[in-house]
Amino acid sequence: MKDIDPHLLIVDDDERIRELLRKFLMRNGFLVSAARDAAHARRILSGLDFDLIVLDVMMPGEDGMSLTRGIRETSQTPVLLLTAKGETEDRIAGLEAGADDYLAKPFEPKELLLRINAILRRMPEVDEASTVPKVLHLGGIRYDIDRGEMWQGEEPVRLTATESQLMKIFSKTPGEAVSRGKLVEELGRDKGQAQERAVDVQITRLRRKLEEDPKQPRYLQTVRGAGYMLAPD
């Protein structure tokens, strides 16, 4: 557990929403910084690290999707998107840009709090001792189960919070298929077809880090009718 409160960055062009969220989240035990637009956020991010970024999609100038892609170029800090658009395709686009989760406006602050805590819980943590090997070998990739770390040779492979949680789930039962519904449940998401599609997007992103040819996966396989399976060497 961390000894200090998690530090959040709120990025929203609506000053009233920024202040409401800042005060609400501070009352609930977070350190909170705020930015009024993407350019302001980039300046803050150049000098500070955060535990999670809450980011509005619809902003004047650079939008939240573009900023998320920019953040992902250098950082795996979790991103929660706030969007006025409730359509599945917009949410999927946000996940493809690198976000960990999304919340459609208008929302209850308590729901935002639940989503934030769920994402922070997904960050890598040490598992209890189990019968599976401590290190899984996936071609040139090594995955340290205890540390929740992935390596390619001497280089660490950066994983997002959601990717870390997926690897943790799969590494509990290597060689066994895990259903999409089970993955949705383990990730702490609401049940439903849209969330299962969101999991598919996360799997695609994870395959890009694991596989030589993500379109012909060897290590993170699709098992028809059963879900996905991690198949280490």
Side-chain angles (χ1 to χ4, degrees):
M1 294 289 293
K2 292 185 178 182
D3 295 321
I4 57 173
D5 296 331
H7 193 180
L8 309 182
L9 176 63
I10 308 291
V11 188
D12 197 307
D13 62 300
D14 187 321
E15 184 178 359
R16 186 181 64 86
I17 290 176
R18 276 202 315 274
E19 273 305 294
L20 281 172
L21 291 181
R22 192 178 67 82
K23 289 176 180 176
F24 173 76
L25 292 168
M26 287 179 73
R27 284 201 306 272
N28 282 279
F30 295 98
L31 299 170
V32 183
S33 298
R36 61 185 169 271
D37 57 25
H40 188 198
R42 285 180 182 275
R43 288 197 296 276
I44 293 173
L45 288 165
S46 69
L48 286 172
D49 289 326
F50 292 88
D51 294 286
L52 185 141
I53 301 165
V54 178
L55 175 55
D56 187 30
V57 170
M58 303 294 286
M59 294 187 292
E62 184 182 8
D63 68 13
M65 298 281 195
S66 172
L67 179 57
T68 299
R69 284 189 289 269
I71 290 167
R72 279 292 165 264
E73 288 174 7
T74 58
S75 167
Q76 298 302 322
T77 301
V79 174
L80 173 63
L81 290 178
L82 303 179
T83 173
K85 298 179 179 179
E87 292 85 358
T88 300
E89 291 306 319
D90 292 304
R91 297 175 180 190
I92 294 296
L95 294 171
E96 287 177 333
D100 291 87
D101 205 351
Y102 51 78
L103 190 57
K105 291 180 174 180
F107 56 84
E108 289 291 328
K110 283 186 178 178
E111 184 178 2
L112 176 65
L113 185 63
L114 288 171
R115 296 291 185 99
I116 288 171
N117 284 326
I119 292 172
L120 292 176
R121 280 197 302 272
R122 289 181 219 154
M123 295 307 284
E125 58 187 54
V126 176
D127 272 345
E128 292 85 17
S130 64
T131 56
V132 296
K134 298 299 178 192
V135 177
L136 297 179
H137 294 274
L138 308 146
I141 299 284
R142 299 191 319 281
Y143 177 68
D144 187 316
I145 295 171
D146 280 351
R147 295 175 179 272
E149 294 175 350
M150 189 177 287
W151 297 81
Q152 185 161 28
E154 298 303 310
E155 291 296 315
V157 178
R158 285 177 165 177
L159 296 174
T160 65
T162 304
E163 289 163 357
S164 291
Q165 183 69 354
L166 284 171
M167 285 301 300
K168 185 177 168 187
I169 295 164
F170 286 125
S171 64
K172 287 178 185 173
T173 55
E176 292 183 24
V178 184
S179 71
R180 294 157 90 208
K182 176 73 171 172
L183 291 172
V184 169
E185 183 184 327
E186 293 249 3
L187 289 173
R189 304 257 176 100
D190 303 325
K191 292 179 181 175
Q193 193 172 4
Q195 289 289 7
E196 290 191 4
R197 284 190 62 195
V199 165
D200 293 340
V201 174
Q202 304 285 359
I203 292 287
T204 298
R205 283 172 43 195
L206 183 54
R207 277 176 172 158
R208 290 183 195 136
K209 299 181 180 181
L210 284 177
E211 307 283 357
E212 284 190 18
D213 182 0
K215 292 182 180 178
Q216 299 288 331
R218 155 69 182 86
Y219 298 106
L220 186 47
Q221 299 177 6
T222 300
V223 181
R224 190 177 296 278
Y228 296 105
M229 177 179 76
L230 190 69
D233 292 326

